[in-house]
């Protein structure tokens, strides 16, 4: 069960597995039931390093060196910004993810957005750990992240991943962390009037968007990713 919410969508009795499965997993962990080795490794890496990959926190902003545009790293500047961009673990460390992070940085720069990132102070949001039953680890991460966010002055919290969006929007307020949270597609779709004139290159292809469960079913955002795709010249977007 990935808590994708498809069962709840079609269940005539509205049995909410989204509440049941994380609770069952939490009990399994509390009772020291065996869990898969790869999942235990993720838990250990997140607890020790702040990311599932087990990478050094000092390397979290290394992708920015090759972005081709300036990237404000807040622990180095301490300055107020309009947007705090929570990059996330995958875009910070995985090669494909780092390509996406650099592309986002170039877009934000082209739009003239006053933004910053947390660099080595950024830690995993913890939503996937919570859903896998490690509620204690999630609560630790939430408390640490909220403390870090509160060190800085910003107006909007823009996130890369759907689970980060879900965590910061729905879970962190329970621990005192309330922010204006936007998924990056929402943020960019709100600036399409600026962005569209910059889209010069035609992409002659057909694309279908695969909705992330925690952006679509869980949080009701289906439109903004499609609006961005439809704005690309030459691209045929089909369901």
């Amino acid at each position: 069960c990935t808590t994708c919410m498809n069962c709840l969508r079609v269940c005539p009795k509205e049995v909410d597995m989204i509440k049941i499965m994380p609770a069952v997993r939490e009990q399994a962990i509390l009772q020291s039931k065996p869990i898969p080795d790869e999942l235990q490794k993720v838990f250990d890496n997140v607890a020790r390093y702040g990311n599932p990959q087990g990478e050094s926190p000092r390397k979290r902003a290394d992708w920015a060196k090759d972005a081709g545009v300036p990237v404000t790293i807040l622990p180095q500047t301490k300055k107020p910004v309009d947007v705090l961009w929570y990059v996330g673990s995958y875009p910070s460390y995985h090669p494909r993810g780092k390509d996406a992070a650099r592309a986002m940085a170039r877009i934000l720069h082209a739009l003239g957005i006053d933004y910053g990132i947390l660099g080595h102070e950024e830690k995993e949001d913890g939503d996937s750990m919570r859903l896998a039953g490690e509620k204690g680890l999630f609560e630790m991460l939430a408390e640490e992240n909220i403390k870090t966010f509160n060190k800085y002055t910003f107006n909007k919290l823009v996130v890369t991943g759907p689970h980060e969006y879900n965590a910061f929007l729905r879970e962190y307020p329970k621990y005192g962390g309330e922010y204006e949270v936007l998924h990056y597609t929402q943020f960019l779709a709100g600036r399409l009037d600026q962005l569209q004139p910059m889209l010069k290159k035609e992409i002659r292809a057909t694309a279908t968007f695969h909705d992330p469960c925690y952006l679509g079913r869980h949080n009701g955002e289906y439109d903004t990713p499609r609006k961005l795709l439809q704005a690309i010249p030459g691209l045929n977007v089909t369901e």
Side-chain angles (χ1 to χ4, degrees), residues 46-52 57 60 86 88-89 118-126 140-142 144-145 148-149 164 168 172:
V46 170
R48 184 174 180 182
Y49 301 104
N51 63 81
R60 197 163 182 113
Y86 180 93
S89 297
L118 294 172
H120 72 276
E121 291 188 0
E122 184 180 284
K123 290 189 174 183
E124 180 73 13
D125 62 279
M140 182 190 77
L141 290 165
E144 290 179 358
N145 284 327
T148 300
F149 294 161
E164 298 146 14
F168 299 148
Y172 275 47

Side-chain angles (χ1 to χ4, degrees), residues 75-94:
Q76 298 174 4
T77 66
K78 312 290 185 184
K79 77 181 188 78
V81 291
D82 181 39
V83 171
L84 172 58
W85 173 26
Y86 180 93
V87 181
S89 297
Y90 183 89
S92 295
Y93 294 115
H94 191 279

Side-chain angles (χ1 to χ4, degrees), residues 170-191:
R170 298 191 177 276
E171 299 298 327
Y172 275 47
K174 300 173 185 176
Y175 302 88
E178 297 196 35
Y179 314 99
E180 181 182 348
V181 185
L182 295 169
H183 188 253
Y184 81 94
T185 58
Q186 296 171 325
F187 181 78
L188 294 181
R191 287 158 177 76

Side-chain angles (χ1 to χ4, degrees), residues 146-164:
I146 289 168
K147 186 177 179 180
T148 300
F149 294 161
N150 291 346
K151 286 168 57 178
Y152 300 102
T153 301
F154 59 93
N155 297 317
K156 302 178 189 68
L157 179 59
V158 173
V159 303
T160 309
H163 277 281
E164 298 146 14

